[in-house]
Amino acid sequence: MLGSSRSRHRLTTALAGFALLVTGAALQVGTAATPAHAATTYRVLFDDGHAEEAGNADWIISTSKPDPLSQDSSPSSETDWTGALSSWGVDLQKTGSYSMKTATSALTYGGSSTTDLSNFDALVLPEPNTLFTTAEKTAIMNFVNNGGGLFMISDHTGADRNSDGYDAVEILNDLMTNNSVDSTDPFGFSIDTLDISSGYPAAISDSSDPVLNGAYGTVTKSLIADGTTATLKPADNSSVKGLVYRSGYSGNTGAFFVTSTFGSGRVAFWGDSSPIDDGTGQSGNTLYDGWNDSGATNAALALNATAWLTGASSGSSGGGGGGGGTCTSAQLLGNPGFESGNTTWTATSGVITSSSSEAARTGSYKAWLDGYGSAHTDTLSQSVTIPSGCSATLSFYLHIDTAETTTSTAYDKLTVTAGSTTLATYSNLNAASGYVLKSFDVSSLAGTTATIKFSGVEGSTLQTSFVIDDTALNVS
């Protein structure tokens, strides 16, 4: 929401900001920031060829298929694309490191279509509701065996949305046990025939796991709202690993989020579609906003897993499988959520604050640059040494509110730099409700000590506040 003015704001500035909120004119013009180093584009295919929109489901990133960019080429919020998975798609798009497509026909591998699996790094199966054909199962298994990433998302037993006699539990188990490539429990787990009504499954403690501790944040809990779990079978595939467990379960039972490897590829499983549902979609669907559920960290889990499956993040998950290199996975920034107050960071007066006038994303503290309604400059910086041989990703959550009413002039600006590289510039034109995740590949700075710096410059009238929280510089 639109934040309150700082004490030095003039009354007219605060009133202008309130009017902007009331009229719903929070501006979202401007384009997604460009990452500093995006030599590799990671390609993700979302399946919509198996009744993923049946009933109340709306498991698509956009109604524009196969290319979501045809709906909005530079989305800044989840509603710029239409679908219950639009938050997932838009968050990936804004990093500048991913390209996405939607498949609406049979899945193939080694063919000539634009959605052939050979053109992608990862395939997402978001609660399929029709069986895969024999040819499709062969294509999927060969895709993974040859290095692709497979993200399987189930729902509870009985969630047969198109009434064809099959639910996602049966369909995904059929993929794993009835294919021409390897039907002997290839991924090391089976999906349980259960309908678990509710809960917040908790993540295991593993600071080195790139899915639980990745560029998009630390995973603590997920959400289950009529979902299921998996039973692990490490004797069949030693790389299988439970990352998130239903309350009261551990080891080989009650695993709600699972990773594994197969051949040269990677696999992830999630036991419910509610966590990826962002509450928006096409008219007529009854949806639930699990993506932003305050009791869970579903967005971080989905995005970290996507990065791991595509190879955008290295490190190992699922036992000894995947990734590698000589880099030790770590988060390098000190006081990343500002909860230790004015320490570690170098900041101008008043920037690191627990003021209730602007809400923190998590905890009590955040970094609040500008917001005075007069000519002002604020800075926030921290120097960090990035080890050689590491992939590095800088991420942070940014909230911008403004009393400016222009739709064309950037009066107030926030510039983000890493070393001598400008990662992004935001302005009053990018104002939006809530925090928005920003992520940048800064691997080009490996082997150096670089200063991460935020510089906010405000014009002479009408406030713009740039509020930052939950920063991270993850290496792997």
Side-chain angles (χ1 to χ4, degrees):
M1 66 179 181
L2 192 65
S4 301
S5 303
R6 294 197 179 197
S7 59
R8 280 175 273 180
H9 287 181
R10 296 177 298 181
L11 178 62
T12 53
T13 300
L15 290 175
F18 179 73
L20 185 60
L21 173 63
V22 172
T23 58
L27 301 175
Q28 297 179 9
V29 185
T31 60
T34 302
H37 177 74
T40 301
T41 299
Y42 301 97
R43 307 158 298 173
V44 184
L45 181 66
F46 286 80
D47 182 49
D48 188 35
H50 297 85
E52 280 91 348
E53 296 178 67
N56 272 331
D58 196 43
W59 311 137
I60 55 173
I61 56 174
S62 169
T63 51
S64 177
K65 310 164 195 174
D67 189 359
L69 295 179
S70 296
Q71 181 173 12
D72 189 322
S73 62
S74 185
S76 61
S77 70
E78 64 184 75
T79 54
D80 290 338
W81 289 354
T82 304
L85 306 188
S86 60
S87 285
W88 190 352
V90 169
D91 279 352
L92 290 177
Q93 179 64 31
K94 288 191 295 188
T95 69
S97 296
Y98 292 86
S99 68
M100 288 158 283
K101 294 288 190 295
T102 299
T104 57
S105 56
L107 296 171
T108 61
Y109 181 61
S112 59
S113 73
T114 58
T115 56
D116 185 84
L117 290 173
S118 63
N119 298 319
F120 296 90
D121 300 301
L123 167 66
V124 180
L125 302 177
E127 196 193 334
N129 254 252
T130 60
L131 287 167
F132 297 103
T133 66
T134 298
E136 286 181 307
K137 288 185 285 187
T138 299
I140 294 169
M141 295 299 294
N142 281 330
F143 168 68
V144 180
N145 191 42
N146 292 329
L150 176 63
F151 205 154
M152 299 188 294
I153 300 165
S154 183
D155 204 343
H156 61 89
T157 292
D160 180 7
R161 298 180 184 270
N162 61 341
S163 301
D164 70 343
Y166 296 98
D167 57 40
V169 173
E170 296 167 300
I171 292 163
L172 294 175
N173 275 333
D174 178 70
L175 168 64
M176 294 186 288
T177 61
N178 185 27
N179 66 80
S180 64
V181 178
D182 187 340
S183 295
T184 59
D185 197 23
F187 306 149
F189 66 89
S190 60
I191 304 171
D192 300 326
T193 304
L194 293 173
D195 183 350
I196 305 164
S197 61
S198 63
Y200 284 96
I204 64 171
S205 178
D206 187 346
S207 61
S208 66
D209 191 281
V211 175
L212 296 180
N213 297 275
Y216 299 97
T218 298
V219 176
T220 56
K221 290 185 178 181
S222 187
L223 162 77
I224 191 165
D226 287 316
T228 189
T229 54
T231 297
L232 309 189
K233 302 175 182 179
D236 295 334
N237 186 330
S238 61
S239 72
V240 71
K241 181 179 181 181
L243 300 187
V244 179
Y245 282 84
R246 182 184 178 190
S247 179
Y249 291 80
S250 62
N252 293 334
T253 60
F256 185 58
F257 196 98
V258 178
T259 57
S260 187
T261 63
F262 176 67
S264 301
R266 299 173 173 182
V267 178
F269 164 79
W270 211 337
D272 196 0
S273 53
S274 296
I276 57 170
D277 183 347
D278 65 18
T280 69
Q282 299 171 83
S283 177
N285 287 308
T286 302
L287 302 170
Y288 173 78
D289 190 0
W291 187 265
N292 296 301
D293 190 291
S294 60
T297 48
N298 295 316
L301 183 52
L303 296 168
N304 285 345
T306 306
W308 178 71
L309 289 168
T310 59
S313 70
S314 38
S316 64
S317 187
T326 59
C327 184
T328 300
S329 296
Q331 196 290 112
L332 302 180
L333 291 178
N335 193 19
F338 308 105
E339 295 306 311
S340 297
N342 196 19
T343 63
T344 310
W345 296 89
T346 299
T348 48
S349 178
V351 166
I352 297 177
T353 177
S354 60
S355 167
S356 61
S357 296
E358 281 283 1
R361 179 178 177 270
T362 59
S364 301
Y365 282 81
K366 65 278 171 181
W368 180 0
L369 288 81
D370 296 331
Y372 291 92
S374 59
H376 187 84
T377 298
D378 275 329
T379 60
L380 172 74
S381 64
Q382 183 178 148
S383 293
V384 59
T385 299
I386 304 174
S388 298
C390 286
S391 297
T393 302
L394 172 69
S395 64
F396 57 91
Y397 283 84
L398 175 64
H399 169 53
I400 304 173
D401 69 51
T402 187
E404 300 284 0
T405 57
T406 178
T407 60
S408 58
T409 305
Y411 289 114
D412 313 309
K413 297 181 180 180
L414 175 74
T415 302
V416 185
T417 57
S420 60
T421 301
T422 298
L423 302 179
T425 299
Y426 306 100
S427 74
N428 49 281
L429 299 179
N430 303 119
S433 60
Y435 281 87
V436 179
L437 176 66
K438 307 295 181 181
S439 182
F440 306 93
D441 185 344
V442 291
S443 302
S444 60
L445 298 175
T448 70
T449 297
T451 298
I452 307 301
K453 185 174 183 179
F454 302 86
S455 301
V457 178
E458 192 172 21
S460 58
T461 61
L462 300 180
Q463 75 90 16
T464 298
S465 294
F466 302 100
V467 191
I468 299 162
D469 203 356
D470 297 329
T471 67
L473 203 168
N474 287 288
V475 296
S476 59

